[in-house]
Amino acid sequence: MSVRPAWEVREKEGATRWFEFRLVFADGARVDALAVVGGGCVCVEEVRAQPALSLDDLAVLAEWIEEAVARACGAGPGPDGCGAQRRHARPAWPQGAEGRRLVAREYRAAQRGGADPVLAVMGATGHSRRTSLRLIGQARDAGLLPPRRARS
C-alpha cells in the first residue's frame, strides 16, 4: 500500500489532513482511496476499485487505511487529531458463539426498549456500524435472531 499526503487545512489549534492511498495487487486489481483525518477521526471520502469491492473487502480496506494513517502521522497524537493514540479503546468482546449470543441479547434488549438495535450493538461492542451489522448478520445466520423483514 502506498500512502501520500494530499493536502492539509489548518484552523486555530487543529488541522484536517487528506491522504491518498493506492493498493495494487499481483493479479492486476487496484484500489485508490482518499481519507480525511481530523478531530481524532479517520473518514474514507472516496474509494475506486477495479474490480469492485465487496462489503467485507471495504471493511478490511477501512482497517488498512486506519493503520496506514496512524503510521503516516506518527505514533503519538498531535494537535491535528492524527495518531494511533487517539483511537477509542474497544471493550473486550468474546469471539465465536459467545459473541454472537451477546450481540443477539443486546439487539433484542434494544428492540424491547424502543431503541435502535444497531446502535446498541455498536455501543456494546465498540465496533463501527459496518462491523456491528456484520456481527448482527452472523447472529441471524446462527438462528439467534429472526430473519430481516423484507422491505416494501
Side-chain angles (χ1 to χ4, degrees):
M1 172 185 289
S2 69
V3 180
R4 76 178 184 95
W7 65 92
E8 181 174 331
V9 176
R10 293 202 172 272
E11 294 181 286
K12 297 181 184 173
E13 291 126 24
T16 302
R17 300 169 70 184
W18 283 260
F19 292 88
E20 293 177 331
F21 297 85
R22 175 167 288 158
L23 288 101
V24 179
F25 297 91
D27 64 358
R30 180 175 162 164
V31 178
D32 291 304
L34 179 66
V36 63
V37 178
C41 298
V42 177
C43 299
V44 178
E45 295 253 323
E46 182 178 337
V47 175
R48 292 181 186 203
Q50 188 64 32
L53 297 175
S54 69
L55 290 177
D56 289 336
D57 292 338
L58 281 171
V60 171
L61 176 67
E63 291 172 11
W64 284 353
I65 287 174
E66 190 172 41
E67 291 167 8
V69 165
R71 283 192 306 275
C73 293
D80 60 358
C82 185
Q85 303 298 326
R86 288 288 208 145
R87 293 183 68 181
H88 299 288
R90 214 177 259 156
W93 194 260
Q95 301 290 317
E98 180 62 21
R100 289 188 292 273
R101 280 193 290 277
L102 291 173
V103 164
R105 185 185 73 201
E106 292 291 333
Y107 187 95
R108 286 191 306 270
Q111 277 185 322
R112 283 190 301 273
D116 184 330
V118 177
L119 289 178
V121 171
M122 288 171 63
T125 64
H127 287 294
S128 67
R129 182 174 187 81
R130 173 183 19 226
T131 302
S132 295
L133 287 169
R134 185 173 41 94
L135 293 171
I136 291 166
Q138 290 171 354
R140 285 187 200 290
D141 292 345
L144 300 170
L145 291 170
R148 288 182 54 173
R149 288 178 253 154
R151 295 183 182 181
S152 47

